[in-house]
Amino acid sequence: MLTRARAPAESDIAIRDLRVAILSDAAPERNGVGAYYRDLADHLRANGAKVALVAPRFRYGRWHGGLRLPLPGDPTQRILVPSWSLIDKRLKRLRPNVIVVPTPGPYGMLGMHLAGRLGVHLVVGFHTHFEALTDLFKDWGWRSRVANAYLRSCHRMLFRNSQVVLANSTEMVEVARAIGAKRATLMATPIAKRFLDLPPTPTRPQIERVLFAGRLAPEKNLEAVVEAARRLPDLEFVVAGDGPLRDWLEEEAREVPNLKLVGWLKRNQILRLIDSVDALVLPSRVESFGTIALEAMARARPVIVSAACGILSWDILSRGIFTVGDDEHLADALLRLRQLDPAVRQRTTEGAREAAAIINQRNLRHWLALLAGDHASTVDGKH
């Protein structure tokens, strides 16, 4: 449960006076980190805080927000170098009393500098352990080593200058401490209001349509999804997303008739797509949390994840999730789910939706306490 907040000191910030600047290198619609802070900003505004989400934008196939540089190994992504003067002017209008930085790129490092210059608290979100991805990108060669060295040094600087570092699994909290975080604690993941506010559509009694949604990259273990489609030809597999494996997946989809690639979708399209399927799968090799799994739980859909997904470290959520066994293939886990009594499956998904709503509310209260100055606030998912 959320710990009881201490009595506020005179220096603490009342929630109604919160002015929060979020400087993120992740575009709001392009990945889980971008979605996290767009959803968080919406929840904070709904509770009376003033929030500026300063990040690149991806609209109609084009990037906006600064000088565009290629991201090695992924032609679908860009690193943007922001305009210092434009961001400086925006922050002068907001006059933030706290700056949040979730990424170690140019936007994030500028956010760190501005927090120091303005003399305001810096809160850092730690979402990706880049070193854990190194083995999956061996074809990058020396570029992979250089990128990881740069990102690790940036994380050290961010952690050293922050008042608190937030990570979304206990493993990531320990990694943050090992890198140099003075204070590191858990954060949960917010859910877009419409995912919880709209009643979920009824599910079919049988599993017929399965969804994978996320970045099309090696760490997602998309080979397991393709192989499951081959083994289970009576199921329809839908893959939504974009990334460096897109061309490979397009080739596989041409050969596997029950495998469909729909590409990158906006969030409102993702909600409708989740409601149209009977289960979501996330067989990742590396997954700090797994936001899409939480969103599917909020829509009362069965979710199957690998043991590598950080969402399992939250007890309240893990009880509503089906897991691929250590020596089990995704196809076998799907067969188990299909054979489960529909009534049992429905009770599990109803409990999962309730748990998602609870963790969302706890996380919002946790963020509000932290941003208002209570850096001892904690959130957990054990009850």
Side-chain angles (χ1 to χ4, degrees):
M1 295 178 64
L2 184 73
T3 58
R4 185 181 296 276
R6 60 178 170 79
E10 290 183 4
S11 60
D12 286 349
I13 306 161
I15 291 172
R16 65 180 179 276
D17 297 324
L18 265 178
R19 299 184 303 277
V20 183
I22 303 172
L23 272 74
S24 170
D25 295 273
E29 290 278 357
R30 290 298 288 181
N31 58 30
V33 176
Y36 185 110
Y37 288 92
R38 194 190 72 169
D39 294 342
L40 177 65
D42 289 344
H43 285 297
L44 293 175
R45 291 185 188 112
N47 280 265
K50 294 181 177 64
V51 183
L53 175 55
V54 185
R57 292 294 192 270
F58 183 78
R59 298 189 184 99
Y60 307 110
R62 292 182 59 84
W63 290 91
H64 305 271
L67 176 65
R68 297 184 295 274
L69 300 175
L71 181 66
D74 188 352
T76 68
Q77 298 285 341
R78 292 291 183 270
I79 299 171
L80 272 73
V81 179
S83 167
W84 179 302
S85 60
L86 289 178
I87 291 179
D88 192 42
K89 289 177 183 176
R90 188 169 179 186
L91 264 61
K92 282 180 179 176
R93 290 196 299 270
L94 177 67
R95 294 180 297 110
N97 36 39
V98 60
I99 290 178
V100 178
V101 167
T103 54
Y107 274 81
M109 301 312 289
L110 177 57
M112 179 191 73
H113 172 79
L114 291 172
R117 197 182 77 177
L118 296 172
V120 300
H121 283 179
L122 176 67
V123 175
V124 174
F126 182 45
H127 293 265
T128 304
H129 183 200
F130 293 99
E131 291 76 10
L133 300 179
T134 302
D135 291 340
L136 302 179
F137 293 90
K138 291 179 180 178
D139 56 329
W140 288 16
W142 63 269
R143 292 176 300 174
S144 175
R145 294 189 294 273
V146 170
N148 275 280
Y150 162 79
L151 293 166
R152 188 175 180 89
S153 65
C154 288
H155 271 138
R156 284 201 190 97
M157 284 189 283
L158 287 169
F159 293 175
R160 187 168 60 242
N161 288 282
S162 68
Q163 272 64 51
V164 62
V165 176
L166 301 172
N168 49 18
S169 72
T170 52
E171 179 185 5
M172 290 289 284
V173 168
E174 293 306 315
V175 171
R177 289 171 178 159
I179 292 175
K182 294 175 290 186
R183 179 183 291 278
T185 186
L186 274 174
M187 62 177 166
T189 295
I191 305 170
K193 284 176 60 60
R194 59 186 177 276
F195 278 75
L196 291 170
D197 293 346
L198 291 174
T201 59
T203 56
R204 289 185 288 262
Q206 301 300 323
I207 303 294
E208 299 175 6
R209 200 165 188 243
V210 178
L211 171 66
F212 168 90
R215 201 167 105 83
L216 309 183
E219 67 269 19
K220 300 297 184 178
N221 191 20
L222 288 157
E223 303 95 318
V225 178
V226 174
E227 180 61 24
R230 293 183 187 276
R231 293 193 192 184
L232 304 171
D234 57 330
L235 286 184
E236 180 185 2
F237 286 78
V238 181
V239 175
D242 201 357
L245 296 182
R246 181 180 59 194
D247 291 345
W248 172 76
L249 273 166
E250 287 175 345
E251 291 180 8
E252 294 294 324
R254 283 192 286 269
E255 296 180 6
V256 184
N258 59 321
L259 178 64
K260 181 181 180 183
L261 180 62
V262 298
W264 176 80
L265 301 175
K266 294 182 179 180
R267 296 291 296 292
N268 60 335
Q269 294 172 306
I270 285 290
L271 187 151
R272 292 196 295 269
L273 182 57
I274 291 173
D275 280 2
S276 76
V277 303
D278 307 306
L280 178 128
V281 296
L282 193 62
S284 305
R285 296 186 180 93
V286 177
E287 190 73 59
S288 297
F289 184 76
T291 302
I292 188 64
L294 185 63
E295 291 173 341
M297 293 170 69
R299 302 308 298 160
R301 288 312 188 257
V303 171
I304 299 178
V305 306
S306 69
C309 292
I311 192 172
L312 291 173
S313 67
W314 296 83
D315 291 350
I316 190 174
L317 299 177
S318 66
R319 292 193 289 269
I321 298 173
F322 301 93
T323 309
V324 181
D326 291 339
D327 298 318
E328 187 180 39
H329 193 274
L330 175 62
D332 300 318
L334 279 165
L335 282 173
R336 280 196 293 111
L337 182 64
R338 295 179 77 182
Q339 293 165 1
L340 193 65
D341 185 329
V344 173
R345 194 163 61 232
Q346 182 175 350
R347 285 197 298 271
T348 302
T349 56
E350 288 173 352
R353 177 171 163 83
E354 181 181 357
I358 291 171
I359 207 72
N360 181 71
Q361 186 59 32
R362 290 180 185 175
N363 185 52
L364 175 60
R365 286 155 50 194
H366 177 46
W367 267 102
L368 287 168
L370 283 169
L371 295 174
D374 182 6
H375 297 147
S377 172
T378 60
V379 63
D380 74 79
K382 294 189 179 298
H383 305 287

